[in-house]
Amino acid sequence: MSTLYEFAGGDEALHRLEELFYTKVLDDPVLRGVFPARQPSHVEHLTWFTAESFGGPDRFTGGLGFQHIIDVHRHLKITDEQRERFIALYLEAIDEAGLPDDDAFRAAVREHLEFGARVAQQNSHAESDDQLHPIREVPAWTWSRQSDSA
């Protein structure tokens, strides 16, 4: 089979997804404190992160580095409600973007989202580096139908 990146439809599909998602969070009253204004490069950076996580090119690591994602979440104080809303809006955007309606794919994406949202929430409350989640690189997310050669 293929990586999540390939199965999703590559950069084009993931960019479409991230644009729909980003528009949703900017318009959402629960997430307004986390996403107060459109940043010109945010969709591109979200696409890079998701693509790399899903087995695509490592542009996020090469262009920004994982410390960037730690820094942007620091001190946001993400609430449980915001974390849950983030996940719900992302799942809606997956449908709207026309990504594959495949149970195994959707389960892997949901698991990825829930993990990432928990990491972001923990980092958003960290008062010191010792309180940060220990992950320091873009996670390589795999799924049950990914071949060993992918």
Side-chain angles (χ1 to χ4, degrees):
M1 289 304 271
S2 58
T3 63
L4 288 165
Y5 172 79
E6 293 163 336
F7 193 81
D11 277 351
E12 183 180 328
L14 293 177
H15 188 272
R16 186 172 62 248
L17 164 65
E18 300 299 1
E19 180 62 51
L20 288 164
F21 169 69
Y22 193 50
T23 299
K24 286 177 171 297
V25 298
L26 288 169
D27 292 340
D28 191 85
V30 173
L31 294 172
R32 193 161 289 133
V34 180
F35 297 93
R38 181 173 283 275
Q39 301 297 317
S41 59
H42 205 143
V43 170
E44 182 176 25
H45 294 165
L46 287 169
T47 303
W48 289 358
F49 183 85
T50 304
E52 185 170 338
S53 257
F54 286 4
D58 64 353
R59 290 177 301 231
F60 191 89
T61 295
L64 295 171
F66 196 78
Q67 186 63 43
H68 173 78
I69 205 162
I70 292 172
D71 294 343
V72 298
H73 291 112
R74 282 301 275 270
H75 310 297
L76 288 177
K77 307 285 189 214
I78 298 169
T79 67
D80 288 341
E81 180 185 23
Q82 289 169 326
R83 178 180 47 77
E84 291 166 7
R85 187 70 180 142
F86 177 97
I87 293 167
L89 292 177
Y90 203 98
L91 294 172
E92 285 179 15
I94 288 171
D95 288 335
E96 293 172 17
L99 268 65
D101 186 12
D102 176 271
D103 290 343
F105 172 76
R106 296 291 178 105
V109 172
R110 182 182 199 96
E111 188 179 276
H112 174 265
L113 274 173
E114 289 175 355
F115 173 77
R118 283 191 308 273
V119 170
Q121 185 178 29
Q122 179 177 336
N123 290 347
S124 79
H125 288 274
E127 297 297 328
S128 69
D129 286 353
D130 291 345
Q131 295 173 338
L132 291 168
H133 190 280
I135 192 169
R136 293 293 185 275
E137 60 188 27
V138 175
W141 218 260
T142 59
W143 65 318
S144 60
R145 297 197 311 213
Q146 186 163 321
S147 68
D148 292 334
S149 63

